[in-house]
Amino acid sequence: MTDTLSPRELLRSFGPAAELSHDLSPFALGGYPATSSLAELFESQPFLMAPMAGVSDAAYRLMARAGGAALAYTEMVSVAGIHYSGSKTWELALPAADEPDIAVQLFGRDPSQFEEAAAAVRERLGDKLALIDINMACPVPKVVRKGEGSALLDEPERAADIVRACLRAAGVPVTVKMRLGRRPDAIVAPDFARALEAAGAHALAVHGRSASQLYRGQADWDAIAQVVDAVDIPVIASGDVFTAQTACDILEHTGAAAAFIARGSYGTPWIFRHAQTLRSGHVPQAVSLDVRIAAFELHLRLLEATHAHMARARSLAGWYFKGIPHAADFRRDAMECSSLSDFLALVAQVRERLCRWETEHGSLNVG
């Protein structure tokens, strides 16, 4: 049965129709420390799949890596959850068997718990751990109220202590994801970045908004460029990267070493490869409807293979079906699906209706 295949076997069997690779290479060949620094690694592969709460599970990470992402990050992992040995917490941190490696993003506020968590993650993941990222960017009130996430922007000394604590135990590069400040009228990013660099951070990811903005308004790429100028370590630029072209644009505009792609990867796992194609001076080929639906099917099967709850596929349906004929009908039908077989039946229905549509109207590319 195809739905019992491993992730690697699924990528090999279903990847070609989705124009996705089954040959997933580790971010740092040979592990870390390697002959290449993060700056050198980013030079050749600057497009990274960002950490996304409720999104970046193992299936999503595998799709991104198959689509050309140099590295994929976990969802936020609580250091307190690791301290108390929470099984649900560990589910977020552990890679699937066929993932080449992952970046684990930790959040909290207690330096001792960060040190403990970094050691535990290193022990559990071994060579599958590419780096540890510390979240100092999350603007969600339930996180900020505990002094975690973007609240740490107001505590540069504690933030630096957290970096040093992770460095003592990680054995891999330690990076930080941050925002510009808590509010638009209180931008602290350049000074905060210098403090983290002094503490030993290997790289900084900067989202070009303040915490109070959440995801509203336009990301300030000029402010990211100011952080690039303020530090000597690599900066990963983040914010409003919705297309392969904007992934290239943010690198050119800010001078950053790498770019995070988050919401821009919704339903478009090829965005990473397309950005790399543009960066090399070529134009990527548009994605056909058939390829888009094949990718959705592969993603469904990877959810099952990695033991994820199939309810996650309802959101995926909205993303993969965006812009195609009858999308609203398909999204509505997806809300009634609860198992892999339900979703595969929907895929068959989608293919049938789109075949009729293209017979009447001609072929349509959506990406």
Side-chain angles (χ1 to χ4, degrees):
M1 297 290 290
T2 55
D3 59 350
T4 63
L5 296 176
S6 70
R8 186 184 303 275
E9 292 167 333
L10 288 170
L11 287 168
R12 185 174 291 111
S13 297
F14 294 92
E19 296 184 358
L20 295 170
S21 174
H22 63 82
D23 184 17
L24 309 184
S25 299
F27 174 60
L29 291 173
Y32 187 87
T35 55
S36 298
S37 66
L38 280 182
E40 290 169 323
L41 291 168
F42 290 152
E43 175 62 30
S44 61
Q45 43 186 357
F47 302 111
L48 316 175
M49 193 211 87
M52 293 172 280
V55 175
S56 50
D57 57 17
Y60 202 99
R61 295 192 301 266
L62 283 162
M63 290 293 291
R65 297 297 287 270
L71 183 63
Y73 288 61
T74 67
E75 302 181 44
M76 294 193 309
V77 177
S78 167
V79 296
I82 290 177
H83 175 74
Y84 292 109
S85 303
S87 59
K88 293 293 185 183
T89 300
W90 275 111
E91 287 177 9
L92 298 177
L94 297 176
D98 293 323
E99 287 187 85
D101 54 12
I102 61 173
V104 174
Q105 187 182 74
L106 301 176
F107 80 101
R109 67 175 279 103
D110 184 337
S112 65
Q113 288 187 350
F114 270 96
E115 184 171 357
E116 177 187 7
V121 167
R122 179 61 178 165
E123 181 179 3
R124 291 284 296 269
L125 272 66
D127 291 341
K128 289 288 188 81
L129 181 63
L131 61 83
I132 285 177
D133 186 63
I134 304 167
N135 185 293
M136 300 186 187
C138 180
V140 176
K142 69 178 182 179
V143 172
V144 174
R145 280 196 296 267
K146 297 178 182 178
E148 302 168 344
S150 61
L152 290 166
L153 291 164
D154 289 339
E155 299 185 78
E157 292 183 4
R158 176 180 289 272
D161 286 342
I162 288 170
V163 170
R164 285 189 284 264
C166 283
L167 286 167
R168 286 194 292 270
V172 294
V174 173
T175 65
V176 177
K177 187 176 185 213
M178 55 182 281
R179 287 207 174 209
L180 300 179
R182 294 292 299 278
R183 300 175 308 281
D185 62 347
I187 301 302
V188 300
D191 288 340
F192 192 78
R194 281 188 283 264
L196 298 181
E197 179 182 35
H202 291 86
L204 303 171
V206 183
H207 184 105
R209 290 180 174 86
S210 67
S212 66
Q213 288 179 277
L214 301 178
Y215 298 95
R216 297 186 296 265
Q218 186 174 0
D220 188 344
W221 291 3
D222 289 338
I224 298 174
Q226 291 173 13
V227 177
V228 172
D229 290 340
V231 296
D232 293 324
I233 56 177
V235 171
I236 304 164
S238 177
D240 295 347
V241 179
F242 294 116
T243 66
Q245 185 61 60
T246 53
C248 295
D249 291 345
I250 199 171
L251 293 181
E252 182 176 357
H253 188 101
T254 64
F260 264 158
I261 303 177
R263 290 177 289 169
S265 66
Y266 286 2
T268 55
W270 317 270
I271 189 173
F272 306 95
R273 187 181 72 239
H274 288 181
Q276 193 74 296
T277 299
L278 284 170
R279 187 169 179 256
S280 66
H282 301 284
V283 178
Q285 185 175 359
V287 174
S288 70
L289 282 177
D290 289 343
V291 170
R292 170 74 60 98
I293 301 308
F296 178 51
E297 179 181 354
L298 173 58
H299 205 148
L300 292 171
R301 293 181 183 278
L302 286 172
L303 282 175
E304 176 85 353
T306 55
H307 311 293
H309 199 294
M310 290 305 297
R312 287 203 167 199
R314 296 169 186 164
S315 295
L316 298 179
W319 300 336
Y320 280 99
F321 295 160
K322 184 178 180 181
I324 71 175
H326 311 297
D329 293 340
F330 299 145
R331 288 194 297 267
R332 184 186 62 246
D333 292 343
M335 297 304 294
E336 303 299 321
C337 297
S338 59
S339 66
L340 176 61
S341 60
D342 290 342
F343 281 104
L344 291 180
L346 174 61
V347 168
Q349 176 191 349
V350 170
R351 285 189 169 123
E352 181 183 356
R353 290 186 66 179
L354 290 181
C355 183
R356 292 200 304 267
W357 192 94
E358 289 192 321
T359 298
E360 297 172 3
H361 303 281
S363 61
L364 173 68
N365 292 330
V366 292

